[in-house]
Amino acid sequence: MKILLVFLIAFLQVSCNDEDETITTEETTNPIITSDATPVYNHAYNENYEPDQVDYIALNASNAYVLLDPFQDDVVASVAKIKANGNQLAAYISIGTGEDWRDDFADLQPYLITKQWGEWPGEYFVNATTTGIVEVMKARIDKIADWGFEWVEFDNMDWALYDDVREAYELEVTKAEGIAYFQELCDYVHQKGMKCMAKNFVEDAENFDGVTYESYNTEKNWWDTSGAQSFLTAGKLVIIVHYNESNCDEVYSDYMDTYNKDLAFICEDATLKKYVHYNE
């Protein structure tokens, strides 16, 4: 009987140790290959689910590229706290549209079309860039610099480049004017000591310091691959924000196979209904 008890005790000890080791492995093993790429947090892009919240970013982000919408309430108050963790702060602005919830919308209205953008309620495409709109945008950039940001991310910078959009909204601004406009604004960002983040393309944006691409579950890598690779080769920051995905790890692996491990990636997980962050 004593021998049997000793055997049972030994068996239980081994079982408990095995269970503990399994839990530890599950908690520490990352199923995706990690790299030295920059982690990404995104407070500005709201595609299907809520973006990263400021309090969550302040608590979790470290040595990351953090995109904030600085013109939302109470965001600027958290800038110092987020920067203290070694993060690079980027400010979101839309340069190709006017958004009717912004404080400076009335200043932008004279340079906008009157037909609302069908995809995004409350937004109106820019229709003139050779007049006072540049000064309105520069005023935004001045504030962003004063608040302590390192980057400015230019959303909708390609609004004037597509013939179908131009025809549907009867845009008067020319393609050449649209290009000159975003180049001038990037030059001004550089004058203020910050960096420019392009959005969804790099053609005619060689003076930009990085690029963010938006990727979709049904439409991956739709952009010019050579353009993205040229930025990576030059040591510039390249970010992919991927939306509504059931297998983020697989998509990230595919993108790293296409480019390299310097690629920064953030994924909107369709199961968790939030962003999943990599390389933390």
Side-chain angles (χ1 to χ4, degrees), residues 71 93-94 104 108 136-144:
F71 298 99
I93 59 172
S94 175
D104 60 1
L108 289 173
V136 178
M137 291 295 173
K138 285 182 177 180
R140 288 185 177 182
I141 294 167
D142 289 341
K143 291 180 181 178
I144 290 166

Side-chain angles (χ1 to χ4, degrees), residues 45-49 51 120 214 216 243-244 268 275:
Y45 295 164
N46 183 7
E47 187 71 15
N48 300 288
Y49 313 109
W120 294 100
E214 290 182 291
Y216 304 89
Y243 296 124
N244 202 28
E268 187 187 61
Y275 281 128

Side-chain angles (χ1 to χ4, degrees), residues 49-50 52 56 248 267-276:
Y49 313 109
E50 279 194 356
D52 292 324
Y56 177 82
C248 289
C267 184
E268 187 187 61
D269 190 295
T271 301
L272 299 176
K273 298 186 183 338
K274 65 178 183 178
Y275 281 128
V276 174

Side-chain angles (χ1 to χ4, degrees), residues 105-175:
F105 180 70
D107 297 328
L108 289 173
Q109 268 190 302
Y111 317 112
L112 308 176
I113 63 171
T114 56
K115 181 180 178 180
Q116 185 174 247
W117 186 5
E119 294 183 22
W120 294 100
E123 292 197 52
Y124 302 83
F125 286 118
V126 171
N127 201 34
T129 61
T130 57
T131 51
I133 191 171
V134 171
E135 298 309 314
V136 178
M137 291 295 173
K138 285 182 177 180
R140 288 185 177 182
I141 294 167
D142 289 341
K143 291 180 181 178
I144 290 166
D146 290 342
W147 290 330
F149 284 79
E150 291 96 350
W151 291 78
V152 180
E153 186 161 320
F154 291 15
D155 197 16
N156 300 313
M157 58 185 282
D158 56 349
W159 92 102
L161 303 183
Y162 306 112
D163 290 335
D164 55 341
V165 175
R166 300 181 57 77
E167 181 178 352
Y169 292 93
E170 299 179 346
L171 296 182
E172 296 177 4
V173 58
T174 68
K175 295 180 183 180

